[in-house]
Amino acid sequence: MSGVLVIFFLLAALAVLGAVSLILQSHPIHSALSLILVMVSLAGLYLLMGREFIAAVQIIVYGGAVMVLFIFVIMLLNAGVEERTNFSKLATFGGIPLALALGGIIAAAIARSTSQLPATGEAALSSTRKLSMLLFSEFVYPFELTSFLILVAILGAIVLAQREN
Amino acid sequence: LHHDADFAGGGSEAVSEILAKYGFLIVPIVKVAILVFVVLTLDAYLTWLERKVIAHIQARWGPYRVGPHGLLQPLADGVKFILKEDPMPTGVDKKAYFFAPFLTLMLALTSLAVIPFGPDITIFGYTTNFGIADVNISLLVLFAITALGVYGIALAGWGSNSKYSLLGGLRSSAQMISYELALTLSVVGVLLIAGDFSLKHIVEKQAGDLGLLSWNIVGLSKGGGGFTQIIGCICFFIAAIAETNRVPFDLPEAESELVAGFHTEYASMKFAMFFIGEYTSMIAVSSLFTILFFGGWLSPFPASWILTHYLPSVMLVPLGLWVIFDGIRYETIFGRLILPGVGMVFTLLGVALFFSPTVNELIQGPFWFFAKVGAVLFFYIWMRATLPRFRYDQLMDFGWKFLLPVSIANVVLTSAVIMWRMK
């Protein structure tokens, strides 16, 4: 069990490191690369929980397709180094207290939850087949609604691209 | 002294005991070492084969100076890569510039870890899979690695601070996004038939009494569970060539327009890393193609044809004899010494295989696997020597308006056939 814990903390540390670096980097491409690190470490965490399909999809969709699009757009626009401003008044009086409050609420919620997560490995959702069974039976309406939403987004993109002609 | 006889017999017992205890640790390390060695050598000789085949197609000789038939050319190239100066252009983004070749090579080599090269083998009573990792989602792992592979090229193009590199990187990202969809959708048919993401099970599912007719490309089997995947096969092959940036989809490195595309600003070992990465991913894609559509390590003959098991040795002997015959009348003395020696080794190996059935059974799987992969790689090189490069708009039109709809149609067709059979 300790080996699993070590890997968990390693991946968690990598994810947090990537997230912090995402904010602190001044160049958009470096920020995007940090975000990829976060995505891949999250995939590792999913794998650790025995959800291999979700892990692979996390890398293929988020680590691959979505982030490639980010990087592609940043490269295409040739975005330069961002200018860094000092803390504005809004950030000092609105942002920091709100961030602290949010962090406190999440920490309290985690501290209060005593229920164990379902056992890993041979759990109900462990196999890809069971996951797809659930997706296409119990959760078929949310699933279809999501695909409809994506279809609308595609149509919107086409309409926007065609408007000039 | 009287323990000597025991020692010989006890040796293998000791080995199996150690394997039973520490096998989970030793075996993967040994396998990784062997695979990296084999693949890097294969990469080196793939460059030799490519230059030789293209040269012969164009009625030239190809490499001929270093070693007999230019066989030591890869070695000379390797020495050159190590000794060359490695200049760095000004204004590069150092993180991206240094990370990109490393990432490309690492991902390409990692992708080989989940490929099964043969059926499970048992050595000294220790059974293990013929490959590094036997993952139950190996196909998805491969796609995940392919998805990340874009970053190597995109970062190299962006980080080099050069217009040619940037254009190459942009083209490559766009191309890989477009063709990844078709690549993924073209294997869905195979997945529907196999009902599994594991490459090992996909191959095992193609085993049948009909030999090569049971492979997914034909899809005949006694149970009638298969359906021909020829459409998926063609879509996959085209998309795979685009994903590996090879001719006719080599726009990212189109040398007549972009100097060398994304790796224009790289020299020495960093360039070699891109090069090795490209050839390794070629091998990985050919292996995947073989596994998905051509039965992986399965023999093309029905399993009941025992005589075909001697095919590897029967093919090795004439090959060895031909190399001896060719070597005796070679121009240089070095060649006259080396080539007959190599031929002799081939011939003896063939004869040895003929008379040792256990080893012969062991190499059946890998032999057919590498024979098929070799044929696919030859096809790759053949295409490079034959086809002209696409124009950029043709590339995009072809990917989105032809390849994607056809692979979706294949998914619909295959699922319809499977549904109809289930009734």
Side-chain angles (χ1 to χ4, degrees):
Chain A
M1 190 61 202
S2 66
V4 176
L5 263 185
V6 168
I7 299 172
F8 169 78
F9 279 115
L10 210 70
L11 287 169
L14 267 179
V16 173
L17 204 77
V20 172
S21 146
L22 162 68
I23 299 167
L24 294 182
Q25 294 285 351
S26 56
H27 203 290
I29 289 245
H30 293 162
S31 295
L33 285 179
S34 312
L35 190 52
I36 296 165
L37 181 67
V38 177
M39 304 285 192
V40 173
S41 338
L42 283 185
L45 287 177
Y46 293 149
L47 203 59
L48 211 59
M49 287 191 273
R51 308 298 195 257
E52 68 266 342
F53 182 75
I54 305 285
V57 168
Q58 166 85 5
I59 293 185
I60 293 172
V61 175
Y62 289 95
V66 172
M67 289 314 297
V68 165
L69 220 59
F70 274 43
I71 292 220
F72 186 70
V73 170
I74 296 171
M75 276 168 69
L76 203 65
L77 298 176
N78 206 7
V81 176
E82 289 169 0
E83 279 178 29
R84 199 162 288 283
T85 54
N86 289 323
F87 281 102
S88 65
K89 271 187 185 150
L90 186 65
T92 331
F93 296 110
I96 293 176
L98 277 178
L100 284 177
L102 181 67
I105 291 168
I106 292 173
I110 292 173
R112 275 177 56 185
S113 73
T114 49
S115 64
Q116 287 284 313
L117 286 170
T120 56
E122 291 300 307
L125 281 172
S126 81
S127 84
T128 314
R129 187 169 282 120
K130 277 175 187 156
L131 177 72
S132 46
M133 284 291 188
L134 275 179
L135 262 188
F136 285 101
S137 57
E138 201 171 323
F139 299 107
V140 68
Y141 292 115
F143 180 76
E144 292 296 337
L145 268 177
T146 315
S147 43
F148 184 71
L149 203 65
I150 293 170
L151 187 70
V152 170
I154 294 173
L155 290 179
I158 291 173
V159 168
L160 282 177
Q162 286 286 320
R163 202 164 55 178
E164 285 169 14
N165 302 344
Chain B
L1 271 174
H2 60 275
H3 283 295
D4 274 9
D6 267 1
F7 192 73
S12 75
E13 251 173 56
V15 168
S16 34
E17 209 169 278
I18 291 170
L19 275 179
K21 239 184 206 172
Y22 303 107
F24 71 96
L25 202 66
I26 301 169
V27 172
I29 294 173
V30 171
K31 281 199 284 195
V32 168
I34 292 176
L35 185 68
V36 168
F37 175 76
V38 168
V39 165
L40 292 186
T41 316
L42 215 62
D43 281 339
Y45 277 93
L46 202 55
T47 63
W48 175 82
L49 185 76
E50 177 156 25
R51 296 166 73 175
K52 212 70 180 165
V53 168
I54 290 179
H56 280 269
I57 287 174
Q58 296 167 347
R60 294 183 286 120
W61 283 111
Y64 218 93
R65 299 288 169 134
V66 194
H69 292 289
L71 273 169
L72 297 179
Q73 186 71 44
L75 205 68
D77 285 342
V79 172
K80 190 190 79 174
F81 276 135
I82 293 169
L83 295 180
K84 246 188 169 177
E85 193 195 345
D86 190 3
M88 193 177 70
T90 49
V92 299
D93 183 286
K94 272 193 185 158
K95 281 178 210 158
Y97 184 77
F98 283 105
F99 187 53
F102 173 73
L103 186 74
T104 307
L105 183 57
M106 188 186 73
L107 288 175
L109 286 174
T110 313
S111 63
L112 289 169
V114 293
I115 288 172
F117 296 98
D120 289 359
I121 47 167
T122 306
I123 297 174
F124 293 120
Y126 185 85
T127 307
T128 181
N129 56 309
F130 211 119
I132 290 175
D134 183 17
V135 198
N136 57 353
I137 50 156
S138 32
L139 187 66
L140 285 177
V141 172
L142 273 179
F143 281 139
I145 292 170
T146 319
L148 292 180
V150 193
Y151 294 121
I153 292 170
L155 285 180
W158 176 78
S160 299
N161 190 30
S162 148
K163 51 182 180 270
Y164 298 123
S165 300
L166 185 66
L167 278 174
L170 275 177
R171 280 187 184 184
S172 167
S173 332
Q175 178 176 323
M176 284 174 124
I177 298 169
S178 311
Y179 279 80
E180 212 174 276
L181 287 170
L183 186 78
T184 315
L185 279 170
S186 61
V187 304
V188 173
V190 173
L191 289 177
L192 286 170
I193 292 168
D196 207 322
F197 282 118
S198 160
L199 293 176
K200 205 169 103 180
H201 293 157
I202 290 175
V203 173
E204 280 162 3
K205 200 87 177 176
Q206 298 177 59
D209 302 327
L210 297 169
L212 69 120
L213 293 180
S214 320
W215 297 351
N216 274 336
I217 187 162
V218 185
L220 291 176
S221 61
K222 248 184 184 169
F227 173 64
T228 177
Q229 283 303 309
I230 186 130
I231 303 171
C233 172
I234 294 168
C235 288
F236 181 87
F237 192 65
I238 296 172
I241 297 167
E243 284 285 318
T244 44
N245 293 324
R246 296 279 302 181
V247 176
F249 297 96
D250 66 334
L251 285 109
E253 41 184 304
E255 63 268 6
S256 47
E257 327 162 11
L258 295 180
V259 191
F262 62 90
H263 56 60
T264 306
E265 304 295 344
Y266 285 91
S268 184
M269 261 339 257
K270 287 209 278 293
F271 170 73
M273 281 164 96
F274 277 119
F275 212 66
I276 299 170
E278 184 185 324
Y279 279 87
T280 309
S281 43
M282 255 170 79
I283 294 176
V285 157
S286 308
S287 305
L288 186 59
F289 186 60
T290 306
I291 289 168
L292 290 175
F293 300 103
F294 290 91
W297 64 76
L298 301 170
S299 156
F301 304 105
S304 49
W305 295 8
I306 302 293
L307 274 181
T308 59
H309 287 204
Y310 290 100
L311 219 62
S313 41
V314 170
M315 279 162 85
L316 258 178
V317 173
L319 177 73
L321 290 176
W322 181 77
V323 174
I324 294 175
F325 176 70
D326 177 69
I328 287 170
R329 51 202 181 107
Y330 195 77
E331 290 92 337
T332 59
I333 294 177
F334 185 59
R336 256 175 277 169
L337 284 174
I338 292 293
L339 286 179
V342 173
M344 201 74 96
V345 170
F346 280 173
T347 316
L348 288 179
L349 211 64
V351 173
L353 279 181
F354 199 81
F355 288 109
S356 62
T358 33
V359 181
N360 196 31
E361 280 309 306
L362 205 66
I363 65 148
Q364 287 298 317
F367 170 77
W368 286 114
F369 189 85
F370 284 107
K372 289 176 205 170
V373 170
V376 178
L377 287 172
F378 179 79
F379 198 76
Y380 250 100
I381 296 169
W382 187 6
M383 289 200 17
R384 180 174 165 190
T386 318
L387 294 177
R389 187 178 300 133
F390 273 115
R391 225 171 46 219
Y392 191 71
D393 60 318
Q394 290 173 332
L395 175 99
M396 285 296 153
D397 274 2
F398 185 72
W400 288 105
K401 293 182 186 163
F402 179 76
L403 215 52
L404 189 63
V406 169
S407 34
I408 292 175
N410 183 45
V411 173
V412 174
L413 187 69
T414 310
S415 19
V417 168
I418 289 175
M419 284 293 286
W420 179 68
R421 287 223 182 107
M422 274 163 78
K423 267 184 185 173

